[in-house]
Amino acid sequence: MTGQANEVNTATTPTTTTATTIDGKYGVLRELSRQGNVTLSEVRAAEGVTRRVAWFDISTSADRQAFHAYRSVLRSLNPAGLTDVVARPGAYYAVWQPVGGTPLSAVLAQPVKNQETVEAVGAIAAQLAAHGYAVDDADIMLDGPEARIAYLRALTLPRVPEEVAARNARTLSALSAGRVRRSRQPGAWLAFIPGLLFLGGAVYLGGQAAQTYLNPPVREVLSVTGEEAREAAEKLTAAGFRVEYTEGQAGNQGIGTILRQDPAAGTNLPVGRLVTLTVNNPPSIEVPRVEEMTLDQARAALKGRAMVLGKVLKVDGTLTNTAEGRVVSQLPEAGSAAQRGQPVQVMVSTGVGGKESWLPTLTGLTVTQAREYARAAGLVVNKISELASDKAPGTVLDQTPAPYVRVAVGSPVTLTVAVARFSAPSRPAGDLPLPPPTAPQAPPLPPQPLPQDTLDQTTPEAQPEVQPAPSPAEIPATPPSGDPDARNVNFQYTFPGDLPAGTYTVVVRDANGEREILQATDASQLAGRSASSSQAVPVSGDAVFVVRRDGADYATVSPLTP
């Protein structure tokens, strides 16, 4: 691939950037320069040393091909400053380390140069020119007679030989300007003999090169279909062919593998010709949410998105009140972008150890509300039965276990839910009869007083005492315990204005266990506001209110005596 290199003139003054991280390994200290789609930054590596990272913004297939060509040049030159080259979807960058020595620009300004320095720079220039790069495309450091490449700027396209020669002529002429100190060695007069031999070899090799260029050898194209793109390119380039990538997609192939090659395998092709490889790179998909599912349910949900279940880790579910066998978290997160066939790693709860829980009265709640109560209590709704009722459809009619019965965390919960009544009429109904008109009733007569002697002889009959029905406020929130330490307390708490994001609940903890007094509420509804119990909360023994954020304890509040 030849052509005019695309260059962008950019300011070289370093600019300070906000603290970011590249690929989770390199903390950005400052941005040094921008050239096209390449950003050069000074970073700090995990071991505490300073490095430079050239980050490539890859948005098109042409950008990707240019990066792979640049990476091939780096591998061929093996610069002294290069420590790593990363090329994977979403991360294309090269890492450079400091190289000691004197910069080439400082050597050019010296009035006297050493012959060894001139020859070393000339050798570097020849190596760069072979790959379409000029000397001024690289930062060259000189350490005695040795010249080393500290950094190589990427080009969109390699420079044509004429442009490389023109650029190198300017640099090499400046290097040869002034006085060049030649080193003298005994027997230097015999140096002309190797020179003659070198000249003769150059003539011979030049003739062979011309013959090869005019009549290149023909070789068979190897089969690389199904192989990883990097390995396939290495095989073809080792055989003398040039390689170019295009993108395709196939659901039954791994990402980054070769789907097709052109020309096909077995074709006889002159050395140096181009082989186009189609790499499997399907569009990204959205990761489904598998949290709170069992492994079988998670595996089925991922299969529906052409993804697979990856590594499964066992974790304690006590902190999140997650029942045994349920997914606590996943990676990648739900809603993030991923590739088809990509595995999803999950953490599965081993259960909530050493705890008991209980449910409040769920009667009258919806199924969704009942599930939330069960999850907060560390229980799992695993069965829902339907019963015809006059209640609104979906209303909980009964529950197992019964309210306030202590069971082990992770126990199953069965709900009985209302469904609409329906019975088809056996025969058409006629007109309904109208009720007869209501006759006015005569006013009751006033009671007549009884004679005194009758009152003396009549024994009044004992009337049963009628107890009024208790109001909802009089019904205790927990079963009566008969504990002499039972008392009523109040809850009062002001949430801070900078309340962290999350879902908050409030429970009361006493000798009888825990029970919720504030259902799950988003932080945006609580920040800077005061919360208090609408009525006194019955407790027994030592009691404390606990504010929880996403299931974890956030704050404790002492109860107030009414």
Side-chain angles (χ1 to χ4, degrees):
M1 180 184 300
T2 61
Q4 180 66 32
N6 295 335
E7 297 182 352
V8 177
N9 295 328
T10 59
T12 59
T13 302
T15 57
T16 302
T17 62
T18 58
T20 57
T21 302
I22 295 178
D23 204 15
K25 298 186 293 184
Y26 302 100
V28 176
L29 301 178
R30 57 173 180 162
E31 181 181 305
L32 299 177
S33 65
R34 286 179 182 266
Q35 179 179 340
N37 67 328
V38 182
T39 302
L40 182 64
S41 303
E42 183 179 0
V43 302
R44 186 174 300 280
E47 56 272 18
V49 296
T50 301
R51 295 286 186 265
R52 291 190 297 172
V53 172
W55 179 269
F56 291 73
D57 292 325
I58 304 299
S59 58
T60 64
S61 59
D63 294 339
R64 189 176 295 105
Q65 293 174 12
F67 177 82
H68 286 295
Y70 174 67
R71 183 176 63 167
S72 299
V73 173
L74 294 179
R75 288 178 175 175
S76 178
L77 295 175
N78 192 23
L82 183 67
T83 63
D84 191 15
V85 180
V86 177
R88 66 172 183 271
Y92 297 85
Y93 62 91
V95 183
W96 300 85
Q97 65 181 351
V99 176
T102 305
L104 177 59
S105 58
V107 174
L108 294 177
Q110 295 176 358
V112 180
K113 291 90 173 177
N114 292 326
Q115 180 65 27
E116 294 85 353
T117 301
V118 176
E119 293 175 354
V121 175
I124 289 288
Q127 294 179 18
L128 292 171
H131 298 282
Y133 283 76
V135 175
D136 55 3
D137 292 325
D139 294 344
I140 299 177
M141 304 296 291
L142 295 163
D143 187 7
E146 184 180 2
R148 296 180 293 180
I149 299 176
Y151 176 66
L152 181 65
R153 284 170 283 278
L155 300 178
T156 304
L157 296 174
R159 303 184 189 277
V160 296
E162 294 79 5
E163 183 185 6
V164 173
R167 285 176 170 265
N168 286 348
R170 293 194 298 266
T171 303
L172 297 179
S173 62
L175 184 64
S176 301
R179 189 162 60 91
V180 177
R181 182 185 299 113
R182 301 180 182 274
S183 59
R184 297 182 179 181
Q185 298 179 356
W189 60 275
L190 297 176
F192 73 93
I193 296 177
L196 291 176
L197 295 176
F198 177 78
L199 180 60
V203 172
Y204 172 77
L205 294 177
Q208 293 296 322
Q211 178 68 18
T212 302
Y213 178 78
L214 297 176
N215 298 295
V218 176
R219 295 179 183 174
E220 181 178 334
V221 178
L222 302 176
S223 175
V224 295
T225 304
E227 297 185 9
E228 195 269 333
R230 177 179 178 180
E231 297 177 355
E234 289 178 350
K235 285 185 178 180
L236 293 173
T237 54
F241 301 109
R242 293 183 295 117
V243 175
E244 182 181 52
Y245 293 110
T246 60
E247 293 185 354
Q249 60 181 14
N252 58 348
Q253 297 290 337
I255 298 175
T257 57
I258 303 301
L259 302 178
R260 294 178 298 276
Q261 64 181 87
D262 183 28
T267 303
N268 292 325
L269 194 68
V271 171
R273 294 294 180 88
L274 181 66
V275 178
T276 302
L277 302 180
T278 302
V279 183
N280 186 26
N281 188 22
S284 60
I285 58 177
E286 183 177 337
V287 179
R289 184 177 185 271
V290 297
E291 294 175 357
E292 302 179 16
M293 296 184 181
T294 64
L295 285 180
D296 291 338
Q297 293 171 339
R299 191 176 288 107
L302 294 173
K303 183 178 180 181
R305 297 288 182 89
M307 304 184 72
V308 295
L309 184 64
K311 188 176 181 181
V312 178
L313 302 177
K314 300 286 187 177
V315 297
D316 185 13
T318 303
L319 184 61
T320 57
N321 278 337
T322 304
E324 181 179 2
R326 299 279 170 166
V327 176
V328 177
S329 62
Q330 64 182 87
L331 187 68
E333 297 180 354
S336 61
Q339 298 290 342
R340 295 180 182 272
Q342 181 174 342
V344 175
Q345 177 178 315
V346 297
M347 294 185 179
V348 179
S349 171
T350 57
V352 181
K355 280 193 175 183
E356 290 186 343
S357 184
W358 50 268
L359 286 174
T361 301
L362 304 180
T363 305
L365 302 178
T366 64
V367 175
T368 301
Q369 293 171 334
R371 285 183 182 275
E372 291 298 328
Y373 273 98
R375 172 172 171 75
L379 306 179
V380 181
V381 177
N382 65 346
K383 183 179 179 181
I384 298 178
S385 59
E386 297 180 344
L387 180 65
S389 173
D390 294 332
K391 299 287 186 179
T395 303
V396 177
L397 302 177
D398 195 9
Q399 66 187 81
T400 302
Y404 307 110
V405 174
R406 295 184 178 277
V407 294
V409 170
S411 299
V413 176
T414 301
L415 300 178
T416 302
V417 181
V419 295
R421 295 182 183 274
F422 174 78
S423 59
S426 58
R427 59 182 179 178
D431 296 337
L432 296 177
L434 297 175
T438 304
Q441 297 181 354
L445 296 176
Q448 297 294 328
L450 295 177
Q452 185 65 31
D453 56 353
T454 304
L455 294 174
D456 295 339
Q457 298 176 2
T458 304
T459 302
E461 183 178 356
Q463 298 295 329
E465 183 178 358
V466 179
Q467 298 292 337
S471 63
E474 297 173 344
I475 299 177
T478 58
S481 59
D483 192 343
D485 294 334
R487 66 188 188 282
N488 293 333
V489 296
N490 288 331
F491 170 74
Q492 179 70 38
Y493 179 70
T494 301
F495 290 89
D498 56 349
L499 188 67
T503 302
Y504 290 80
T505 58
V506 178
V507 300
V508 60
R509 181 189 299 158
D510 60 1
N512 294 326
E514 292 184 358
R515 54 190 180 277
E516 188 176 87
I517 65 170
L518 175 64
Q519 298 182 5
T521 306
D522 189 74
S524 59
Q525 303 178 16
L526 299 175
R529 302 182 61 181
S530 296
S532 59
S533 54
S534 58
Q535 59 184 5
V537 180
V539 297
S540 177
D542 295 334
V544 66
F545 292 100
V546 181
V547 180
R548 287 177 175 166
R549 172 176 173 261
D550 295 332
D553 291 355
Y554 175 76
T556 57
V557 182
S558 300
L560 302 177
T561 304

